[in-house]
Amino acid sequence: MKKNIAILGSTGSIGSQTLDVVRQHPDRFGVALLTANNNADLLVAQALEFHPADVVICNEGKYNAVRYALEHTATRVHAGMSAVCDLVTGEGVDIVVAAMVGFSGLRPTLAAIGAGKPIALANKETLVAAGSVVMGLAKARGVDILPVDSEHSAIFQCLLGAGENRPAKIHLTASGGPFRTWDRDRIAGATREAALRHPNWNMGAKITIDSATMMNKGFEVIEARWLFDLGAEQIHVVVHPESVIHSMVEFADGAVIAQLGCPDMRQPIQLALSYPERLPLSNRKLDFASIGALSFEEPDGEKFPCLPLAFEALRRGGNVPAALNAANEAAVAAFLAGRIGFYDISDLVAECIRDVEFMAEPDLDGIFATHEAVFARAQERIRRW
Ligand code: MG
C-alpha cells in the first residue's frame, strides 16, 4: 500500500533527503503535503516534481510568488503556520515527517499526533522542550513516534530484537564535530565558517552549530530519555570520530548491540517511513577493510560545556530543558549573525537555565511561556553583550 507523506520542513536537509527516498520508491510513497519556512523557489520545484495536494509557505510574504508559480497545477497553496497545523491533520496524510527547525516544530507535531498520525521525528527540539507533553499525547492517542535522527534510529534498530528486555544503558555516539582536536583557546576564537564545516554529516546551519558545541548531542540525550524511557544515568555519550557506529544498546548481561552504516540520513529516514519493512536503498555500503579501525574517546566537558549543561537540564527536569533549548536557539542565531563568540553560546545557556523560574510539571502553556520568556531574556542579554 502506498503511504502518503506530509513533510514539514521539506526544503531543509532532512526534507530534501526524504524526497530522495520518495524518488527511489515512487510505488511505495507519495507526497500529500510539503511545507517550507522561506525557500519558495525550492518549494515550488519540489511541488512540480512530486505533485502534493497542498503546499504551505510559512513566510506569508512569499505566498503570491508560490501561488503564481503553481497556478496551473492541482496543488493548493497556503500560507502561515496555522495552515500547517490544520493540513497536517488531513485525511490524505498517512505519516508526518517532522523536520522543521527549532521550537516552531512543536505545534504542528502536536496537531499531527492529536489527529492520530504516526510521526517520523527529526525535529529534536520538540522532545527536548516538551518531551512529557508530546510522549503523553502520543501514548494517549496510540501514535508511533519513529526516530529519524541517526542515533535514535540506531537505538530503535538495536532494540528490534530485544523482546521484553530493557536496555541497561545506551551509548550515543558523537562525531565530536569540527573542533574535536582543537584546544579550548583555539575553539574560543572559532568563526562561524569553521563551525559550519562538519567533518562527516551534511546538515542545516542550526544543527551544524549545535554539533560544533555538542549541544546537539545534549539534545539527543534528552530526546533519548523520552523516546526510550531511560534515566539520565543510563545514557552515556562516547565520541566516535568515524561516525560508523550510529549508537549502541547495552543489556544487563553486558552484551552490546550496535547499529552501523555509512553516514547517510536516508537510511534512518527510509526506515521510519517503511517500518517495519526494510526497503532497498541506493546508498554507499560499508567497506570494513577500508575503514580499518574504529576509535572511541570520552567527550570533553571542559571544551564542550553545552553537553554537561544538557545533562544538568535533564536531571533538573520540569521546564529546564525547554529553557535550555530556548536559550540555545537565541544564542545560535546570534552566533550565526556574527554577534557573539563561540563560548558565549554556552555562557548564555548556563545563565538562562540558572535563572529560569522553575516549574516541576509544566503543561503545554507552561512550556510555551518558558520558551518565550527565556528566548526574550536571552535576546536581551545578547543586545547588551
Ligand atoms: Mg544525530
Side-chain angles (χ1 to χ4, degrees), residues 124 148-152 173 201 203 207 211 216-217 220 223 246 265:
K124 49 191 76 175
V148 164
D149 209 348
S150 62
E151 293 78 0
H152 305 93
T173 52
W201 297 94
M203 308 173 289
I207 187 174
S211 298
N216 181 58
K217 207 51 54 179
E220 290 177 358
E223 245 191 311
H246 298 318
M265 286 308 297

Side-chain angles (χ1 to χ4, degrees), residues 45-354:
Q46 291 175 339
L48 291 173
E49 180 179 356
F50 292 96
H51 316 292
D54 297 276
V55 299
V56 182
I57 181 83
C58 291
N59 180 342
E60 303 192 6
K62 298 196 170 173
Y63 169 71
N64 280 332
V66 178
R67 197 171 57 95
Y68 292 136
L70 297 177
E71 206 169 26
H72 301 292
T73 71
T75 298
R76 292 177 294 259
V77 179
H78 315 259
M81 195 52 133
S82 60
V84 179
C85 293
D86 208 23
L87 291 162
V88 84
T89 66
E91 251 179 46
V93 174
D94 298 319
I95 184 165
V96 175
V97 176
M100 298 168 112
V101 177
F103 188 71
S104 66
L106 178 56
R107 249 186 233 283
T109 304
L110 284 170
I113 297 171
K117 309 292 184 190
I119 309 290
L121 186 67
N123 171 283
K124 49 191 76 175
E125 291 86 349
T126 294
L127 282 185
V128 171
S132 79
V133 173
V134 171
M135 294 312 282
L137 183 62
K139 202 169 171 197
R141 300 284 293 133
V143 162
D144 283 333
I145 308 279
L146 298 149
V148 164
D149 209 348
S150 62
E151 293 78 0
H152 305 93
S153 177
I155 303 290
F156 177 79
Q157 294 180 57
C158 293
L159 288 171
L160 287 178
E164 296 297 301
N165 297 297
R166 296 275 302 145
K169 218 178 185 185
I170 63 171
H171 301 269
L172 294 179
T173 52
S175 70
F179 304 144
R180 181 178 62 86
T181 59
W182 293 25
D183 63 26
R184 203 177 191 282
D185 287 345
R186 191 173 168 212
I187 297 174
T191 60
R192 171 185 186 276
E193 285 62 40
L196 283 172
R197 229 173 281 131
H198 194 276
N200 303 350
W201 297 94
N202 208 340
M203 308 173 289
K206 162 78 168 47
I207 187 174
T208 306
I209 301 302
D210 286 341
S211 298
T213 63
M214 290 195 79
M215 182 61 95
N216 181 58
K217 207 51 54 179
F219 283 170
E220 290 177 358
V221 167
I222 299 173
E223 245 191 311
R225 179 262 170 272
W226 292 111
L227 284 169
F228 306 110
D229 195 19
L230 299 166
E233 69 293 344
Q234 290 176 287
I235 306 170
H236 179 232
V237 173
V238 62
V239 175
H240 166 48
E242 295 85 4
S243 296
V244 168
I245 296 179
H246 298 318
S247 279
M248 304 174 262
V249 172
E250 184 179 319
F251 292 95
D253 58 0
V256 175
I257 311 274
Q259 187 262 331
L260 290 73
C262 290
D264 185 335
M265 286 308 297
R266 292 174 306 166
Q267 192 276 323
I269 293 169
Q270 178 172 287
L271 184 66
L273 295 176
S274 68
Y275 176 78
E277 196 181 343
R278 284 188 191 268
L279 302 177
L281 181 65
S282 71
N283 56 354
R284 205 154 55 86
K285 305 297 191 289
L286 281 180
D287 175 350
F288 287 98
S290 79
I291 294 166
L294 297 177
S295 57
F296 305 93
E297 54 194 67
E298 275 302 322
D300 185 337
E302 300 267 303
K303 271 165 49 173
F304 303 104
C306 284
L307 184 59
L309 286 170
F311 269 104
E312 182 196 328
L314 174 58
R315 282 192 206 94
R316 284 170 63 194
N319 63 338
V320 182
L324 176 91
N325 174 62
N328 183 65
E329 208 158 302
V332 171
F335 177 76
L336 283 169
R339 304 194 42 192
I340 63 173
F342 190 79
Y343 281 122
D344 295 333
I345 299 174
S346 46
D347 286 351
L348 199 65
V349 170
E351 275 179 42
C352 287
I353 66 169
R354 185 193 63 207

